[in-house]
Amino acid sequence: MAIAELEAASMNSANPRTSATMKAMVYHGPGRCGWEDKPRPVIQEPGDAIVRITTSTICGTDLHILKGDLPAVTDGRILGHEGIGVVEQVGTGVSEFHVGDKVIISCVTACLKCDFCRKAMYSHCRHGGWILGNTIDGTQAEYVRIPQADGSLYHFPANGDEESLVMLCDILPTGFECGVLNGQVKPGDSVAIVGAGPVGLAVLLTAQFYSPSAIFIIDLDAKRLAVAKKFGATTLINSTGGNAAQQVMELTAGAGVDVAIEAVGLPATFAICQAIVAAGGRIANVGIHGKPVELHLEKLWDRNISLTTRLVDTVTTPMLLKIVRSGKLQPSKLVTHRFAMNDIMKAYDTFGNAAKEGALTVVLTNGSPR
């Protein structure tokens, strides 16, 4: 069989390629990246799909990568793990998606068959997990290859809003699963969220599913605290003075909070959580930590607390999609800045200077931003 026939047997294609290259955001080590020409991705395995990106975004994790906090990300890697797009090609093993389908790309790749996937721990899939923009090329590009497409894509609903639904790739399920579910938020609980960035605000939005009695938001940025108030926070605490833990303890008559959720990834913010958790309470870590933290067991050993860590599994994405479609959850409110993908370097500057720019979530479009 000729090479052309082999290729036709292994994939379907919407249009013949007009160029072998594309533009992409390429990492070159801590503090170095660029919008560059890269080869377009091709089908490598039967379960692959090639997706043309229409909308993407920048995650706090991408900033951690640029700081050098994730050494597994090597020189030449295309960044990004969130996106909306249109299927351009599929391998012979893909059954749930077809050329022309509009899709939501999960930040976690899942084969749905391995032992971890069978336990709904997609983040530890033996054939995937968090690989996009990490160990394989990601979504901040014109095209991306999605391995294990049947378990890693979701059909984009008719009349869906791309700005809202791109939040389902990572931000919303991360806040909900790693913060709210791991923190076991229950009706009547007092909850403190340390960090009012996009993921911290996703925790805030989804914690309200369970009717906590109080939600404290702790952050250095007065603008983000004001947004948190609009989103349902009951108490705002500016941690600029270094006495955030003391303020929480005073406001709770020395008891602390039932659930303390760390949504930044710094030793100082993790320390606040330890200082404010009530006896019998839970600390849920959401943030990515690039440096060691101190665990104060000399103070916590007799407090009956639980500490959880987690990488998002995205098992709640279908449920969150239903809630977003109902209008009861409106994650597009998190979007503050919009850029064309070609302006991604400016978008990174804006997101990296979030306090100065008032940035929460930056949306990137392959085309002119609306």
Side-chain angles (χ1 to χ4, degrees):
M1 185 180 288
I3 292 175
E5 291 174 316
L6 282 170
E7 290 179 346
S10 66
M11 66 186 77
N12 297 311
S13 178
N15 296 293
R17 292 198 180 116
T18 57
S19 172
T21 63
M22 65 174 184
K23 288 291 187 179
M25 184 64 169
V26 184
Y27 173 74
H28 292 297
R32 294 183 295 121
C33 59
W35 181 243
E36 303 171 5
D37 288 324
K38 290 282 282 187
R40 281 198 192 183
V42 297
I43 298 290
Q44 298 180 20
E45 301 289 342
D48 289 352
I50 305 300
V51 177
R52 175 175 54 84
I53 296 294
T54 58
T55 298
S56 187
T57 183
I58 302 172
C59 180
T61 303
D62 298 318
L63 297 185
H64 278 282
I65 291 171
L66 285 176
K67 287 170 59 181
D69 289 344
L70 295 157
V73 184
T74 56
D75 185 1
R77 178 69 59 230
I78 296 173
L79 296 180
H81 50 268
E82 302 161 272
I84 306 292
V86 178
V87 175
E88 292 277 306
Q89 298 173 314
V90 295
T92 56
V94 178
S95 60
E96 299 299 316
F97 298 92
H98 303 89
V99 170
D101 286 350
K102 193 168 186 178
V103 293
I104 301 167
I105 299 169
S106 174
C107 65
V108 171
T109 300
C111 74
L112 305 180
K113 297 177 180 178
C114 72
D115 53 339
F116 283 115
C117 283
R118 289 180 183 274
K119 291 188 286 188
M121 291 178 62
Y122 299 158
S123 61
H124 291 274
C125 172
R126 294 190 183 277
H127 307 288
W130 174 44
I131 55 176
L132 286 174
N134 180 11
T135 58
I136 70 169
D137 288 337
T139 59
Q140 290 170 7
E142 293 179 306
Y143 297 85
V144 63
R145 179 179 72 91
I146 304 297
Q148 312 292 341
D150 281 342
S152 310
L153 299 174
Y154 297 90
H155 288 284
F156 191 92
N159 302 315
D161 174 61
E162 292 198 22
E163 288 194 354
S164 287
L165 295 176
V166 76
M167 305 299 172
L168 291 172
C169 301
D170 182 358
I171 292 171
L172 274 178
T174 293
F176 185 51
E177 294 176 13
C178 303
V180 178
L181 295 186
N182 264 21
Q184 300 176 39
V185 175
K186 300 189 298 295
D189 275 349
S190 55
V191 178
I193 303 166
V194 185
V199 172
L201 293 173
V203 175
L204 169 62
L205 290 171
T206 55
Q208 293 173 73
F209 295 165
Y210 297 94
S211 300
S213 61
I215 304 178
F216 298 82
I217 291 284
I218 301 169
D219 201 279
L220 295 165
D221 189 336
K223 294 179 182 177
R224 289 188 168 187
L225 290 172
V227 172
K229 184 67 174 179
K230 294 179 181 178
F231 286 3
T234 58
T235 303
L236 310 179
I237 295 178
N238 193 309
S239 54
T240 303
N243 64 344
Q246 179 183 341
Q247 292 184 61
V248 172
M249 296 307 288
E250 289 175 353
L251 291 167
T252 58
V257 296
D258 298 306
V259 187
I261 299 172
E262 201 287 334
V264 182
L266 294 174
T269 49
F270 188 76
I272 291 173
C273 290
Q274 294 183 76
I276 63 176
V277 65
R282 287 86 65 196
I283 298 175
N285 184 82
V286 183
I288 296 172
H289 291 269
K291 296 180 180 179
V293 301
E294 287 189 75
L295 179 62
H296 291 290
L297 282 178
E298 80 281 4
K299 297 179 180 179
L300 299 174
W301 70 271
D302 64 346
R303 298 284 286 169
N304 294 46
I305 72 157
S306 299
L307 168 62
T308 61
T309 67
R310 185 173 184 174
L311 182 59
V312 63
D313 292 299
T314 68
V315 292
T316 63
T317 300
M319 182 266 290
L320 291 169
L321 176 56
K322 291 180 182 179
I323 299 174
V324 171
R325 291 189 67 189
S326 76
K328 294 180 180 179
L329 186 61
Q330 298 176 336
S332 61
K333 292 180 179 179
L334 295 171
V335 178
T336 55
H337 292 73
R338 299 166 179 87
F339 295 90
M341 190 77 80
N342 284 333
D343 291 327
I344 194 168
M345 299 302 293
K346 183 177 180 182
Y348 261 91
D349 286 341
T350 298
F351 192 59
N353 293 283
K356 177 183 176 182
E357 301 290 344
L360 286 174
T361 299
V362 170
V363 165
L364 306 164
T365 56
N366 268 321
S368 299
R370 72 185 193 187

